[in-house]
Amino acid sequence: MKTYHIAVLPGDGTGPEVVAEGIKVLNAAAAKAGFKLDYQKFDFGGDRYLATGEILPENAPQELRQYDAIFLGAIGHPDVKPGILEKGILLRLRFELDQYINLRPVKLYPGVPTPLAGKGPADIDYVVVRENTGDVYTGIGGVSMKGTKDEVAVQSMVYNRSQVERAIRYAFDYARKRHKKNTLALCGKTNVLTYVYDLWERVFHQVGETDYPDIKRDYYHVDATCMWMVKNPEWFDVIVTGNMFGDIITDLGAITQGGMGIAAGGNINPEGVSMFEPIGGSAPKYTGLGVINPLAAICAGQMMLEHLGEKAAAAAIEKSVMRVTGSKLKGMAAGKMGYSTSEVGDMVADGV
Ligand code: IPM
Ligand code: MN
């Protein structure tokens, strides 16, 4: 029987609880579809750091490279200064494993409340392709005269052409494969970031004109993108953007699809190992209460199966999630579902 080897990083806070439900559903889908998943757990996260002083073992990226995929819960601990674990674990893995795409679907499922008045599942269904290795996330910059009135802080928006081009090509390919509106929108800021987003815009049109004449090209400034994601989400099909704008607009997108309880993403290296995660955080105040919504982790598992080529099993998970949101759950927020974390996992697993 075909077996996939999955590295599991449950991480901090509610990460382990939602990962457990994700695995429950993955196993149910695999059993139905006739393949197996073999899991290896790694304890990277805040507790391990506090106990050992080590954020991530030096050889961790190398070790993780041997798996078919990585399934991640959440990183972030209330007793660790913000930034240390995020940079030292999550961002380090994204960079060192060269997961250059952060794929974030924004899809409203039936029965899920959206804050967008008058909009429903037919209106909110698009995908953000967030570049995942460059931008201000490279950490290039510095500080001088710290603590004085003359303190200077610089953190640069860094992109090279090949980074931009591979993200744009991935997004065009994705729009073609998705085959819905056959439209790719570039989200930039060409009126102010006249070097970085000028580069993005030139590559976008050159690549589109030469290799993707079948895909319509749109352009929006990032501020306008936010406005239209609220007012006319049905305009969007696939959006491609840089790392920082992508981070921001996908939180906006997430809240329009029901919030962090349901939003999932994949850190993709099309030529290497990819990592799938619920896009919300570790939610320390809900830890251990059995009230956190596991659907985001379950949907991350679905994306992982899709990526591994198990399309039928992935589709079965999505269908089951839609049945649960459409006919069972009272709400999406922690403690408001009308069911516990594991009951939600059971209902999805039973329906695959
Ligand atoms: C995300 C998160 C991370 C990011 C943080 C935790 C570093 O917000 O995955 O969107 O900024 O990429
Ligand atoms: Mn974010």
Side-chain angles (χ1 to χ4, degrees):
M1 196 184 282
K2 172 108 201 171
T3 302
Y4 298 98
H5 299 280
I6 308 297
V8 180
L9 281 55
D12 301 317
T14 51
E17 295 167 57
V18 298
V19 156
E21 301 312 310
I23 288 177
K24 188 191 279 177
V25 172
L26 283 166
N27 286 342
K32 275 258 168 76
F35 62 91
K36 272 181 74 174
L37 296 153
D38 176 66
Y39 306 95
Q40 178 66 49
K41 268 195 192 162
F42 294 84
D43 63 351
F44 310 142
D47 289 330
R48 181 181 188 281
Y49 170 61
L50 291 171
T52 67
E54 184 178 60
I55 304 173
L56 191 68
E58 208 33 54
N59 65 346
Q62 193 49 40
E63 199 174 342
L64 292 172
R65 238 175 236 128
Q66 290 155 32
Y67 290 84
D68 293 310
I70 304 166
F71 189 46
L72 173 83
I75 299 293
H77 195 289
D79 302 334
V80 181
K81 198 173 151 227
I84 294 181
L85 301 170
E86 292 86 340
K87 277 192 175 170
I89 300 177
L90 187 62
L91 298 182
R92 187 171 159 216
L93 290 178
R94 287 178 183 172
F95 286 169
E96 287 196 29
L97 298 174
D98 202 21
Q99 293 164 340
Y100 61 85
I101 298 298
N102 197 326
L103 190 66
R104 295 189 162 182
V106 179
K107 184 167 179 179
L108 180 66
Y109 285 141
V112 177
T114 175
L116 302 190
K119 302 294 179 188
D123 306 301
I124 303 172
D125 182 6
Y126 56 94
V127 177
V128 178
V129 174
R130 165 186 173 188
E131 200 288 330
N132 212 27
T133 63
D135 210 328
V136 295
Y137 280 81
T138 52
I140 291 179
V143 61
S144 83
M145 295 172 280
K146 191 165 182 174
T148 74
K149 72 172 178 28
D150 297 318
E151 177 168 349
V152 177
V154 177
Q155 210 142 1
S156 301
M157 182 172 273
V158 180
Y159 267 115
N160 68 41
R161 180 180 269 264
S162 53
Q163 258 176 328
V164 170
E165 182 166 340
R166 66 184 183 174
I168 284 176
R169 284 192 181 277
Y170 183 92
F172 273 118
D173 282 332
Y174 196 90
R176 186 180 272 168
K177 197 176 68 191
R178 182 173 150 88
H179 204 55
K180 288 209 167 145
K181 297 194 178 86
N182 299 312
T183 301
L184 179 62
L186 172 64
C187 163
K189 189 73 185 172
T190 53
N191 52 349
V192 174
L193 300 169
T194 49
Y195 306 127
V196 169
Y197 277 97
D198 179 65
L199 169 62
W200 274 81
E201 195 179 36
R202 279 181 286 116
V203 174
F204 178 63
H205 289 299
Q206 279 164 12
V207 167
E209 205 174 295
T210 316
D211 292 333
Y212 302 90
D214 51 319
I215 305 298
K216 184 172 171 279
R217 275 168 275 143
D218 282 341
Y219 172 82
Y220 302 94
H221 293 321
V222 61
D223 42 358
T225 307
C226 293
M227 202 166 65
W228 300 126
M229 281 170 65
V230 171
K231 177 87 184 355
N232 294 111
E234 67 280 1
W235 286 358
F236 295 111
D237 183 15
V238 181
I239 300 176
V240 64
T241 191
N243 207 348
M244 187 75 258
F245 293 167
D247 176 48
I248 298 166
I249 71 169
T250 54
D251 263 29
L252 175 56
I255 203 70
T256 68
Q257 69 176 124
M260 290 306 174
I262 185 112
N267 302 278
I268 314 273
N269 176 343
E271 297 89 35
V273 60
S274 300
M275 177 165 77
F276 298 84
E277 54 172 339
I279 81 176
S282 54
K285 72 173 178 184
Y286 297 120
T287 302
L289 304 178
V291 297
I292 195 81
N293 189 338
L295 288 179
I298 291 170
C299 291
Q302 172 218 322
M303 291 182 74
M304 182 170 81
L305 292 189
E306 176 97 39
H307 180 80
L308 291 170
E310 296 294 343
K311 310 272 182 218
I317 293 178
E318 182 171 48
K319 220 171 125 201
S320 182
V321 167
M322 287 164 85
R323 196 184 52 85
V324 168
T325 60
S327 66
K328 303 274 186 194
L329 296 197
K330 295 190 174 57
M332 286 294 124
K336 303 272 162 60
M337 299 183 292
Y339 297 92
S340 70
T341 303
S342 67
E343 284 170 337
V344 174
D346 287 342
M347 288 190 291
V348 179
D350 287 346
V352 297

